[in-house]
C-alpha cells in the first residue's frame, strides 16, 4: 500500500516513441492493480479457512502478519534494485512470485501452507510497489513529454489502493455465488496475473541497466527533522493499522459479532474502506497539507470510534459507515504523512526517508492487529477492539500537534 509517488529515485526516462510508452502505461497499471487485488483477495475467505481447519482469530492475524513480514523483507532487500537492473526485470519476477503464492493457495489449505503463501505474496508485493509506481511515472513522462506527474500519481493510487479494495470484493462475490470458494477465486486471479506477465513483455523499458554494488535500502533523515519525521511515522503506523484491521479480522467481526455470514458482504466491506482511501487521496490531491491532515485525522478518529461502537451494539450500518470514514481518513492522512516526509528530507535523501516511513507503516500493519488478535483470545471481542481503538487514538493525540506544525 503506497500513496502517489515512490520511495526510489527516478532515473532519466528513456527516449522513445509516445505510442508504445502510452500503451505500456496502461498495461503496467493493469498489472499493478491485479497484483494488489490478489494480495488482499484472501480477506473474505479467512472465515472459510477457519471453519475448515479449525483455527481462531489469533491464527488469522499470524497469517496476515506473514504477508507483512514478506513485504518488509522484500521492500528493503529488493524493492529498490529496479533502479539498477531495469523495471521489467523486477516486475516480471514479482508477478511470477505472486503466481507461485497462488499455486500454494490452490494446493493446500493448512495453516503452514497459508503462512507460506502469504509470506511469498508479501515478497512479491515488496518487489512490485515502488517499481510499478516508478515505471508508471516514467512511461507517462515519455508518452507525454513536459506534462505534470498528476496523471501518473492518480493512476498509481487507483491501481494500488483500488486494487487492494477490488481483491476482497471479487473473491467475496466468487465465494458467495460460485462453487468451490477456496479454489475458484485463486484460479481467476491466476489467469489475470498470467495476462499481466504477457502484458509486461509489451511494455518499453525506461531504465538503462547499470552495474552497482548491491546494498539493502537505507533509512535516514536529518537530525533536526527527526521530531516531525517520527510524528509522520507514528501517524502512518496508525493509518495502516486501520487498513490491517479490515484485511484481517473485519470479516470475522462481521460473521461472529454482527452475525453477517455473507462472503460477498465481507468483500464489500473491505472494498469500501480502500475505495474510500483512494477517493480521499484523489479528491484532496489539490488541497493544502493542513487541510489534508485536518480531514484525514478527523475522519480517521470518527471512523475508528464508530467501528468500535458498532461492534458493541452491534450495528452493521454503523460498522460500514465507520469503515468508510476510517478508510478515507487513513488514505488522506497517509498522503499528508508522505508530503511531510518529503518536505523535511533533503532531495538526495528522500528515498531513504520514505523507506523509513513505509517501515513504520508496515509495522502498523502487523503489530497492532497481531495484538488485537491475541487480545481476542483473552477477553471479549468488544473489549479487545476497544483497547485497540484507544491505543490508536492515544498515538494520534500524542503526535497531532507536531504533525500540524510540520504542515505549515
Amino acid at each position: 500500500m503506497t500513496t502517489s509517488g515512490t520511495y526510489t529515485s527516478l532515473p532519466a526516462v528513456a527516449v522513445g516513441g509516445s505510442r508504445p510508452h502510452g500503451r505500456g502505461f496502461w498495461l503496467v497499471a493493469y498489472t499493478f492493480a491485479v497484483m494488489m487485488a490478489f494480495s488482499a483477495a484472501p480477506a473474505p475467505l479467512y472465515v472459510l479457512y477457519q471453519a475448515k481447519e479449525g483455527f481462531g482469530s489469533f491464527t488469522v492475524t499470524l497469517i496476515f502478519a506473514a504477508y507483512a513480514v514478506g513485504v518488509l523483507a522484500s521492500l528493503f532487500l529488493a524493492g529498490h534494485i529496479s533502479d539498477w537492473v531495469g523495471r521489467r526485470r523486477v516486475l516480471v519476477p514479482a508477478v511470477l512470485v505472486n503466481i507461485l503464492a497462488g499455486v500454494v493457495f490452490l494446493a493446500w489449505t493448512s495453516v503452514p501452507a497459508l503462512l507460506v503463501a502469504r509470506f511469498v505474496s508479501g515478497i512479491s508485493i515488496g518487489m512490485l510497489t515502488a517499481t510499478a509506481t516508478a515505471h508508471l511515472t516514467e512511461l507517462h513522462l515519455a508518452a507525454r513529454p513536459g506534462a505534470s506527474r498528476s496523471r501518473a500519481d492518480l493512476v498509481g493510487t487507483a491501481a494500488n489502493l483500488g486494487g487492494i479494495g477490488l481483491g476482497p470484493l471479487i473473491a467475496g462475490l466468487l465465494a458467495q455465488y460460485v462453487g468451490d470458494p477456496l479454489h475458484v477465486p485463486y484460479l481467476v486471479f491466476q489467469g489475470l496475473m498470467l495476462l499481466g506477465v504477457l502484458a509486461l513483455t509489451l511494455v518499453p523499458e525506461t531504465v538503462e541497466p547499470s552495474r552497482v554494488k548491491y546494498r539493502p535500502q537505507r533509512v535516514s533523515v536529518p537530525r533536526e527533522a527527526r521530531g516531525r519525521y517520527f510524528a509522520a511515522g507514528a501517524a502512518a503506523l496508525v493509518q495502516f493499522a486501520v487498513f490491517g484491521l479490515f484485511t484481517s479480522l473485519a470479516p470475522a467481526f462481521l460473521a461472529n459479532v454482527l452475525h453477517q455470514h455473507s462472503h460477498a458482504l465481507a468483500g464489500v466491506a473491505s472494498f469500501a474502506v480502500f475505495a474510500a482511501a483512494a477517493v480521499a487521496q484523489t479528491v484532496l490531491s489539490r488541497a493544502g497539507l493542513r487541510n489534508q491532515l485536518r480531514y484525514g485525522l478527523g475522519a480517521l478518529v470518527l471512523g475508528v470510534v464508530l467501528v468500535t461502537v458498532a461492534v458493541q451494539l452491534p450495528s452493521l450500518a454503523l460498522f460500514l459507515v465507520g469503515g468508510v470514514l476510517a478508510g478515507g481518513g487513513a488514505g488522506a492522512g497517509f498522503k499528508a504523512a508522505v508530503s511531510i516526509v518529503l518536505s523535511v528530507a533533503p532531495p538526495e535523501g528522500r528515498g531513504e526517508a520514505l523507506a523509513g516511513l513505509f517501515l513504520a507503516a508496515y509495522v502498523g500493519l502487523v503489530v497492532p492487529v497481531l495484538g488485537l488478535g491475541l487480545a481476542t483470545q483473552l477477553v471479549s471481542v468488544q473489549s479487545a477492539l476497544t483497547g485497540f481503538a484507544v491505543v490508536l487514538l492515544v498515538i494520534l493525540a500524542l503526535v497531532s500537534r507536531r504533525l500540524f506544525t510540520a504542515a505549515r
Side-chain angles (χ1 to χ4, degrees):
M1 282 165 271
T2 60
T3 186
S4 56
T6 181
Y7 56 87
T8 57
S9 302
L10 296 180
V13 176
V15 177
S18 62
R19 182 172 295 179
H21 289 84
R23 179 187 62 202
F25 176 86
W26 293 110
L27 293 176
V28 171
Y30 161 81
T31 305
F32 194 4
V34 166
M35 290 278 284
M36 298 310 297
F38 177 76
S39 75
L45 307 180
Y46 286 138
V47 291
L48 295 172
Y49 287 116
Q50 287 179 271
K52 182 178 176 62
E53 300 295 330
F55 56 82
S57 296
F58 183 61
T59 302
V60 172
T61 61
L62 287 177
I63 294 168
F64 180 74
Y67 165 77
V69 170
V71 173
L72 281 171
S74 180
L75 200 65
F76 289 102
L77 296 177
H80 58 303
I81 63 173
S82 69
D83 286 347
W84 315 326
V85 303
R87 305 301 184 201
R88 288 195 306 176
R89 290 186 180 181
V90 174
L91 286 177
V92 171
V95 180
L96 293 175
V97 169
N98 229 9
I99 290 173
L100 175 61
V103 171
V104 178
F105 276 122
L106 287 167
W108 300 281
T109 60
S110 65
V111 171
L114 294 177
L115 289 167
V116 170
R118 291 300 281 154
F119 179 75
V120 171
S121 184
I123 290 174
S124 168
I125 297 304
M127 297 168 64
L128 171 87
T129 48
T131 304
T133 306
H135 206 183
L136 282 174
T137 299
E138 294 157 3
L139 290 167
H140 166 70
L141 294 177
R144 300 186 177 189
S148 73
R149 286 180 46 176
S150 59
R151 174 172 170 264
D153 291 346
L154 177 61
V155 172
T157 295
N160 194 331
L161 292 177
I164 295 172
L166 283 172
L169 179 63
I170 293 171
L173 290 172
L174 290 172
Q176 184 69 31
Y177 300 113
V178 178
D180 201 1
L182 293 183
H183 290 92
V184 171
Y186 298 117
L187 288 172
V188 169
F189 279 107
Q190 291 289 76
L192 294 174
M193 289 191 291
L194 284 171
L195 286 176
V197 173
L198 295 176
L200 290 175
T201 64
L202 304 175
V203 177
E205 181 56 75
T206 53
V207 171
E208 186 70 30
S210 59
R211 290 185 175 273
V212 177
K213 184 179 180 180
Y214 172 80
R215 62 169 176 80
Q217 179 66 269
R218 295 172 180 168
V219 179
S220 66
V221 72
R223 183 180 299 274
E224 64 275 9
R226 287 180 183 174
R228 291 167 288 170
Y229 180 76
F230 289 141
L237 183 150
V238 171
Q239 291 144 7
F240 271 59
V242 171
F243 288 140
L245 172 67
F246 280 90
T247 49
S248 59
L249 294 178
F253 289 165
L254 284 169
N256 301 328
V257 180
L258 302 177
H259 309 295
Q260 301 292 328
H261 298 280
S262 168
H263 307 306
L265 178 61
V268 168
S270 295
F271 170 76
V273 170
F274 287 96
V279 169
Q281 287 195 352
T282 302
V283 170
L284 295 174
S285 61
R286 297 180 183 275
L289 186 53
R290 289 180 68 86
N291 285 333
Q292 290 180 25
L293 272 177
R294 190 175 292 113
Y295 167 79
L297 297 184
L300 179 58
V301 168
L302 180 58
V304 168
V305 170
L306 290 180
V307 168
T308 305
V309 172
V311 173
Q312 309 295 326
L313 290 178
S315 169
L316 174 62
L318 204 59
F319 185 85
L320 294 176
V321 170
V324 169
L325 284 172
F334 186 66
K335 189 175 189 303
V338 170
S339 297
I340 289 171
V341 169
L342 291 174
S343 70
V344 302
E348 68 277 8
R350 285 174 179 167
E352 296 172 1
L354 280 172
L357 181 71
F358 277 92
L359 172 62
Y362 276 95
V363 167
L365 198 67
V366 177
V367 175
V369 175
L370 198 59
L372 176 59
L374 178 60
T376 59
Q377 308 301 301
L378 305 174
V379 298
S380 69
V381 170
Q382 289 84 350
S383 297
L385 185 59
T386 299
F388 176 84
V390 168
V391 170
L392 298 190
L393 296 180
V394 167
I395 293 173
L396 287 180
L398 291 174
V399 303
S400 59
R401 182 176 180 181
R402 193 177 290 273
L403 288 172
F404 279 101
T405 299
R408 288 177 181 172

